[in-house]
């Protein structure tokens, strides 16, 4: 792997999201560890005092709620988990407020679900609120709103939620702190820098024969795809190392860095990238090339197949003939309509549907390329 100048990579970072997993802030699984939280808070306060804006994404609500309730086993039912999260979330925030308070640092609680991300107005509201908090020198503390989130509206894991946050507030860096030193290669060595998330890298996260990686690496890699696709940087590092966030920002050799795929995406495309898709449109290789290489819109003629039920304005994903996802966008036509006009020329739309609303099924302004094409 090529050598990189870590100092220069982190020199212009202004807005950071730091994510901690349950094991990074608890001991014996269900008890908050004040020592661990104390170290984390001290580090974040130091980073903030160096002029950076900091948002913390924290897990631990369900685990600490279980501890408080005296539940030994993770509840099987959704209401059980949600009840534990409701108890744990207040406990979590009380402790964060107290510990940050020792440094006179105000914090705020933000609870989000995928439903808030999918809805453009709620998304913008959340974004404005977090920006206002940052301007007011507050450290927003984010978790999934577990008490209301069920499958359809759930992000599901905080690695992915923290990556969506990078889009939501246009942050420049996501640091995921966990109990590993970084992203490991097949020989068990931490990779210093990952310039692109290739199929080989994906195989290391979940493939058989991998020495150290766990299921946890799969969601981290998914987060890295979202972040690097937005044109931002992600780091995976060990939460138990002292002053880890400060040291990463100082360019010290800690953790694995994922480099941006390209330029920073504009806000609207970042939102599209974070929304949930309602359906899938399969396109031929000519259409794929037109979208990827020439930055064109998706026309009916290149569409082969439609899967799922969607309406005008919904997010759909585009896959190629091998079912590899390469783009996401907002559709101008419903799934029923796309089924009728697929494979047809644009000038045939009117005779098939009775009227023509748009020439394109997905306009290029509403289309975001994803994956490593
Ligand atoms: N939101 C969950 C909690 O606070 C954690 C989800 C995760 O760890 O990814 O318990």
């Amino acid at each position: 792997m090529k050598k990189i100048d870590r100092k220069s990579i982190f020199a212009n970072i202004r807005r950071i999201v730091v994510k901690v997993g349950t094991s990074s802030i608890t001991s014996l699984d269900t008890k908050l560890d004040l020592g661990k939280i104390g170290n984390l808070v001290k580090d974040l306060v130091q980073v903030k005092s160096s002029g950076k804006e900091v948002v913390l994404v924290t897990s631990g609500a369900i685990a600490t709620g279980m501890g408080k309730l005296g539940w030994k086993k993770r509840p099987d039912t959704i209401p059980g988990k949600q009840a534990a999260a409701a108890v744990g979330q207040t406990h979590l925030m009380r402790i964060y407020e107290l510990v940050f308070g020792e440094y006179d640092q105000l914090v705020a609680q933000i609870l989000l679900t995928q439903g808030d991300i999918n809805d453009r107005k709620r998304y913008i509201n959340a974004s404005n609120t977090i920006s206002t908090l940052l301007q007011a020198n507050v450290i927003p503390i984010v978790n999934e709103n577990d008490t209301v989130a069920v499958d359809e509206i759930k992000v599901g894991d905080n690695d992915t939620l923290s990556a969506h946050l990078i889009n939501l507030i246009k942050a420049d860096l996501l640091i995921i702190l966990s109990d590993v030193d970084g992203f490991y290669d097949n020989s068990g060595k931490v990779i210093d820098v990952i310039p692109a998330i290739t199929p080989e890298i994906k195989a290391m996260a979940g493939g058989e024969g991998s020495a150290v990686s766990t299921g946890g690496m799969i969601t981290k890699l998914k987060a890295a795809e979202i972040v690097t696709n937005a044109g931002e940087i992600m780091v995976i590092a060990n939460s138990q190392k002292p002053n880890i966030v400060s040291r990463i920002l100082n360019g010290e050799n800690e953790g694995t860095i994922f480099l941006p795929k390209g330029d920073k995406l504009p806000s609207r495309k970042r939102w599209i990238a974070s929304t949930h898709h309602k359906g899938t449109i399969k396109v031929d290789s000519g259409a794929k090339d037109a979208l990827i290489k020439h930055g064109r819109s998706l026309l009916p003629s290149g569409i082969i197949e439609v899967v799922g039920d969607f309406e005008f304005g919904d997010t759909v994903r585009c896959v190629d003939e091998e079912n590899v996802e390469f783009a996401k966008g907002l559709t101008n036509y419903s799934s029923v309509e796309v089924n009728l006009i697929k494979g047809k020329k644009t000038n045939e739309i009117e005779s098939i549907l009775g009227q023509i609303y748009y020439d394109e099924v997905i306009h290029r302004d509403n289309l975001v390329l994803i994956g490593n094409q």
Side-chain angles (χ1 to χ4, degrees), residues 132-307:
T132 306
L133 288 167
L134 291 172
Q135 271 161 28
N137 276 316
V138 177
I139 294 188
I141 301 183
V142 184
N143 195 358
E144 179 133 33
N145 194 354
D146 291 312
T147 50
V148 299
V150 286
D151 274 352
E152 309 83 78
I153 59 151
K154 189 157 77 173
V155 177
D157 69 89
N158 278 359
D159 292 330
T160 310
L161 176 64
S162 60
H164 290 325
L165 254 263
I166 291 287
N167 281 337
L168 186 97
I169 58 165
K170 284 193 104 184
D172 327 278
L173 171 66
L174 171 61
I175 299 180
I176 293 189
L177 297 178
S178 88
D179 48 10
V180 291
D181 285 347
F183 189 89
Y184 296 91
D185 67 14
N186 285 335
S187 67
K189 250 184 71 208
V190 172
I191 302 177
D192 184 32
V193 56
I194 298 185
I197 302 166
T198 57
E200 293 74 42
I201 295 289
K202 284 189 185 167
M204 285 175 199
E208 277 177 292
S210 156
V212 201
S213 50
T214 62
M217 272 301 149
I218 293 173
T219 53
K220 287 177 183 54
L221 212 50
K222 186 176 160 205
E225 282 192 298
I226 297 169
V227 171
T228 57
N229 201 58
E232 309 296 0
I233 305 166
M234 191 180 109
V235 177
I236 300 176
N238 194 327
S239 64
Q240 299 318 310
K241 297 202 175 167
N243 299 319
I244 185 74
V245 178
S246 307
R247 294 201 293 113
I248 290 169
L249 291 169
N250 285 339
E252 288 183 36
N253 210 12
E254 285 292 352
T256 300
I257 305 178
F258 294 81
L259 295 178
K261 197 176 107 185
D263 293 340
K264 288 177 187 265
L265 279 188
S267 306
R268 188 176 159 74
K269 295 216 174 191
R270 292 167 92 116
W271 169 64
I272 294 169
S274 278
T275 57
H276 218 61
H277 64 267
K278 287 267 180 71
T280 301
I281 293 179
K282 186 187 273 194
V283 308
D284 63 25
S285 55
K288 183 181 176 184
D289 273 0
L291 265 52
I292 291 183
K293 296 198 183 129
H294 309 293
R296 302 260 162 78
S297 300
L298 178 65
L299 302 177
S301 56
I303 298 176
I304 306 171
E305 200 187 322
V306 181
V307 182

Side-chain angles (χ1 to χ4, degrees), residues 19 22 58-63 89 92 143-144 146 156-159:
K19 183 256 168 182
T22 303
T58 185
S59 301
I62 296 177
Q89 184 63 31
L92 205 54
N143 195 358
E144 179 133 33
D146 291 312
D157 69 89
N158 278 359
D159 292 330

